[in-house]
Amino acid sequence: MEPYEREALEAVTTRPAYPYSTLTVERITPVLGAEVSGVDLSQDLPADQLEEIRAAFRDYHVLVFRDQTITAEHHKHFAAAFGELRAVNPPPPEGDPHILEIRTTSAAADVAGNGWHADGTADTEPSLGSMLYITETPEPGCGGDTLFANMHLAYDMLSPAMRALLDPLTAIHDGAQALAGYTPPADYVIPKSEHPLIARHPETDRKLLYVNKAYTSRIPQLSADESRALLDLLFDIIARRPVLHCRVHWTPGTLVFWDNRCVQHHATYDYYPYARYGQRVAINGGPVKG
Ligand code: SIN
């Protein structure tokens, strides 16, 4: 490892833990994700417990709540504690406009989210976070894990020269690129936005790498060839450095809350021909801070 990589890693692995008193937090890896216990999401959570969940979310970015029995109303109520609910776009043909069904029918050809991405980055104001509640896991009892990657660490582990090159750039995020063969409803306006390539988390001000393979199409300050080569390098770094990742194994009744502002995720379709089912509620964010 290069000295700047060691320094970046050490800064995250040696962070002091928040003194939790209303819940228990166990890290998934030293750099990303935590299992949170002592919380019942079917209840109105007391203010001090919500405050501790907010602290854990700032620190670990991916929070896993197991053994939850909740309705869609409980799910939305918990999400609403973190911001305004985000309408599913394009809207579902029927049902609740805030609930996205994540459904893999048996022997499906592919699954949603099977590539590195953060939700809604082509929007002018991308999503703050998403909460996925899985109730049906693949029949063999394994498979369908979700991978997550820490974009603060992805940035911090770059060389100082690379960080200096990237810092002033922007990137185009294009919803058309993410559609990949899917035909949206005729009245759907495909989102496209320009965001800082290196963003800052609105709550902690920490820098992070803000490009993802599903949506990011171009760095406008560079030639088409330069942009392609640099984006491919960054996508490769995100995908191929396990040090940035954690992996969540789902059990029925697990809810995972992740921060779309500083984490990317990737569904895994390793359970063909079995089925899997869950519901996702997302929260509105603000403009991407540079
Ligand atoms: C997604 O939100 O991209 C789906 C993740 C998953 O199904 O594991």
Side-chain angles (χ1 to χ4, degrees):
M1 250 194 291
E2 302 291 342
Y4 51 84
E5 293 176 316
R6 270 189 272 138
E7 198 180 308
L9 196 53
E10 187 176 341
V12 66
T13 59
T14 62
R15 282 168 308 166
Y18 186 93
Y20 299 101
S21 62
T22 68
L23 41 82
T24 305
V25 173
E26 280 179 65
R27 291 185 187 199
I28 298 174
T29 79
V31 309
L32 184 62
E35 298 257 350
V36 179
S37 50
V39 179
D40 181 351
L41 299 179
S42 70
Q43 302 299 313
D44 238 340
L45 302 182
D48 54 347
Q49 192 169 54
L50 266 176
E51 209 36 58
E52 294 199 348
I53 293 172
R54 285 198 186 91
F57 191 59
R58 275 194 301 274
D59 264 359
Y60 304 114
H61 319 310
V62 177
L63 301 183
V64 180
F65 301 86
R66 301 229 177 245
D67 304 321
Q68 301 294 329
T69 306
I70 57 168
T71 63
E73 291 310 311
H74 297 134
H75 192 167
K76 289 191 293 180
H77 183 69
F78 181 47
F82 298 87
E84 188 187 26
L85 297 188
R86 191 172 182 83
V88 176
N89 193 19
E94 54 192 26
D96 193 312
H98 294 111
I99 303 261
L100 176 69
E101 292 198 310
I102 302 285
R103 183 193 298 279
T104 310
T105 51
S106 46
D110 201 0
V111 297
N114 191 4
W116 285 108
H117 67 288
D119 297 328
T121 69
D123 294 343
T124 327
E125 299 196 353
S127 156
L128 176 154
S130 302
M131 291 183 178
L132 176 58
Y133 177 54
I134 291 282
T135 46
E136 182 185 349
T137 52
E139 201 182 299
C142 55
D145 294 356
T146 306
L147 311 178
F148 294 91
N150 182 333
M151 291 304 108
H152 288 302
L153 191 59
Y155 174 77
D156 291 341
M157 288 185 78
L158 295 172
S159 63
M162 181 58 90
R163 279 183 258 148
L165 170 70
L166 300 180
D167 272 339
L169 301 178
T170 61
I172 307 295
H173 295 239
D174 187 349
Q177 178 170 297
L179 288 174
Y182 163 76
T183 310
D187 57 352
Y188 176 60
V189 180
I190 297 177
K192 188 172 180 175
S193 303
E194 183 171 351
H195 299 303
L197 193 148
I198 302 304
R200 283 184 185 272
H201 195 284
E203 288 169 43
T204 60
D205 213 39
R206 285 184 65 200
K207 285 186 174 183
L208 59 111
L209 179 59
Y210 200 73
V211 291
N212 69 82
K213 192 168 181 174
Y215 289 106
T216 313
S217 58
R218 180 73 202 260
I219 300 172
Q221 295 81 10
L222 303 182
S223 72
D225 283 351
E226 290 167 347
S227 165
R228 183 73 275 140
L230 188 49
L231 285 176
D232 284 346
L233 169 72
L234 297 174
F235 298 155
D236 235 44
I237 286 172
I238 293 161
R240 291 205 200 174
R241 289 196 174 167
V243 66
L244 305 177
H245 302 164
C246 76
R247 180 173 185 124
V248 172
H249 169 65
W250 297 89
T251 43
T254 301
L255 182 142
V256 178
F257 178 25
W258 64 80
D259 192 332
N260 281 311
R261 300 164 298 182
C262 63
V263 165
Q264 292 186 27
H265 58 286
H266 188 318
T268 313
Y269 193 24
D270 57 356
Y271 53 93
Y272 180 94
Y274 296 102
R276 177 177 180 265
Y277 181 77
Q279 296 188 337
R280 198 180 82 186
V281 174
I283 302 152
N284 277 334
V288 179
K289 188 176 169 198

